[in-house]
Amino acid sequence: MDVPLYLRPRVDPPLASLLGAAPFLHSLVDALGSPLNVLLPEVVAENAHRFRAVYRRHRLAGRVYFAHKANRSSALVRRLSAESPAAVGVDVASLEELRHALSCGFTGDRLMATGPKDPEFLWLAARVGATVNLDSVNELEHLAGLVRKHGLGRVEALVRLSGFESAVGRGGAGIRTLSRRSRFGTPVREAEALMSALERHTDAVELTGVAYHLDTTGLEEKVRALEQCVLFVDECRARGLAPRVVDIGGGFGVGYVADAEEWERWTTALSEAVLGGHPPLTWRGHGYGLRNEGGTVRGTAALYPGHRPTAGAGYLDELLSLPAPVLGRPSATLLLEHLHDLYVEPGRSLVDQCGLSLARVLDVRPTGEDSGQYLVRLGMNAGDVSLEEHGVLVDPVLLPRGGPEEDEEGPVGVFLVGNLCLEADLITRRLVFLPRLPRVGDLLGFVNTAGYAMDFHAHHAQRQPVARTVAVEGRGGTWRWCPDEDYWPITHPGGTSV
């Protein structure tokens, strides 16, 4: 048998307690079907408090905006609506997300409209008083035209920048480099045209700040962008505009794998397997972006860093503590000195440990290659738990239907496959090691799926049902639940009034 290469999940309370209540979880799936998403709304509020604690530590004002696209849940958004209006808002990236946030209790002044915007989205955002995060001069012109045509009030707006330049070398005189390219935001080199447009439209659009979003985990690159945003705000103020906010977007990350050594061991073994020096770790030699070229590993592993010692609110704290490359002072100090508020837009990190996706084991059979490995077919498909779609590798938790059997042996390597009639419907392309071979009727719990993995790619292919979603809460040693759409902050799951 292969030496087990685990990637066991990081599980914190209260999610750990929920996984310990296997009979309760089995009863939910028995009643509501497989797959099933289970959410803990109180955890999203606790995560928001952690971000706010970083603000207090650095004596900063501003707001935490939940990136709604991370999860479609009503319960999570409604729970956040009950937080302090000055502290928590929602970042909406479509007309339907905007309508949903409004229906969940958010007022327009707590909403930020981002992403690609059609006329209906822009109109409703302006109508309800949302802040609009503008990506281009054309978007600004469009918004100003809508405001004037329909007699709307002046709209607060941020302008998103991209293409930040920086000098690598002593005294800033080294090689000029650009931040990674993005299709969102106005390149800094076009800032003059952007500021001129803002000056033309002050009757319709009020510039309240500047934003960026970099698709990177690199702290240094983000600090450089933050510093240049601060300097851009100074330029705007010198021209008579009055911005007061710097919005640094999201990308604060989540640590999925509990043990750093397990992550290092697995990624090392992947490279060795690509070269043929280790037994295959994946279905049909899939390399996750790596390939063997003449005995050398080429390519880049398309994997999310599964173990992250610093993530979420801790990542924000570290970012604000790093000195800016030109001005030399910590980022938080720059914001304070310039009297700027700070906006952040966490998605994945705000729903960290907020839930799990459950699937029933439907079939177990050998791979047929005399390898001691098995195919485990689940009552879900790859769209229902899209961890691998986002490069996240983490083991599920086995939740047996009954007690252990005498002839059980473990651990065992399995490939997890879905319920679609497609060769490509693989829940995991890698060999997953479980403590024992699952039995039909057992559950597998995929932990920490609330950020992008729970419903981002869910679909009705082959008329298979998508997962229902429930909200749960532990009280007095028992668990209560209600459908996601029936959760309200004034009522506990199960209908008990607060």
Side-chain angles (χ1 to χ4, degrees), residues 209-391:
V210 62
Y212 74 82
H213 179 79
L214 296 179
D215 187 17
T216 176
T217 60
L219 282 163
E220 291 76 13
E221 193 173 348
K222 290 189 176 183
V223 169
R224 289 196 297 269
L226 191 156
E227 179 183 50
Q228 291 186 47
C229 284
V230 169
L231 297 174
F232 178 82
V233 171
D234 286 347
E235 292 182 42
C236 291
R237 286 177 170 177
R239 296 177 64 146
L241 301 169
R244 61 182 185 277
V245 170
V246 174
D247 180 349
I248 65 173
F252 304 103
V254 164
Y256 287 95
V257 176
D259 191 320
E261 290 186 4
E262 287 187 357
W263 178 250
E264 291 298 326
R265 192 180 307 122
W266 194 92
T267 51
T268 299
L270 175 64
S271 296
E272 294 172 350
V274 167
L275 292 175
H278 188 285
L281 298 179
T282 60
W283 184 253
R284 296 180 178 174
H286 182 75
Y288 291 105
L290 301 182
R291 62 188 183 277
N292 183 349
E293 289 188 5
T296 300
V297 176
R298 301 291 188 187
T300 302
L303 297 177
Y304 188 89
H307 182 271
R308 295 188 62 169
T310 303
Y315 182 98
L316 175 62
D317 189 28
E318 190 170 339
L319 172 62
L320 293 173
S321 301
L322 281 179
V326 176
L327 299 177
R329 297 182 295 286
S331 300
T333 302
L334 291 184
L335 294 169
L336 284 170
E337 289 175 345
H338 291 76
L339 302 178
H340 295 334
D341 289 352
L342 174 69
Y343 287 175
V344 296
E345 300 166 20
R348 187 191 307 266
S349 56
L350 207 61
V351 292
D352 184 23
Q353 299 289 308
C354 277
L356 70 157
S357 299
L358 298 170
R360 182 180 286 120
V361 175
L362 301 180
D363 184 43
V364 181
R365 60 188 173 88
T367 59
E369 300 171 356
D370 196 27
S371 61
Q373 300 168 359
Y374 292 81
L375 292 176
V376 175
R377 180 164 58 89
L378 301 179
M380 66 164 34
N381 57 64
D384 294 315
V385 58
S386 54
L387 287 165
E388 290 213 1
E389 182 74 19
H390 295 274

Side-chain angles (χ1 to χ4, degrees), residues 162-166 177-182 214 221 224-225:
S162 63
F164 299 98
E165 291 189 0
S166 60
T177 63
L178 283 175
S179 62
R180 65 194 62 229
R181 303 177 80 174
S182 173
L214 296 179
E221 193 173 348
R224 289 196 297 269

Side-chain angles (χ1 to χ4, degrees), residues 80-139:
L80 288 173
S81 74
E83 294 298 301
S84 165
V88 179
V90 174
D91 156 19
V92 291
S94 71
L95 173 62
E96 288 306 314
E97 284 189 358
L98 172 56
R99 294 170 68 178
H100 184 237
L102 291 168
S103 74
C104 288
F106 277 91
T107 52
D109 59 329
R110 297 176 65 186
L111 302 178
M112 173 149 356
T114 65
K117 305 172 190 70
D118 53 34
E120 295 82 6
F121 183 23
L122 268 182
W123 178 85
L124 185 58
R127 183 69 182 83
V128 300
T131 298
V132 179
N133 201 321
L134 297 167
D135 273 316
S136 66
V137 172
N138 287 341
E139 206 166 76

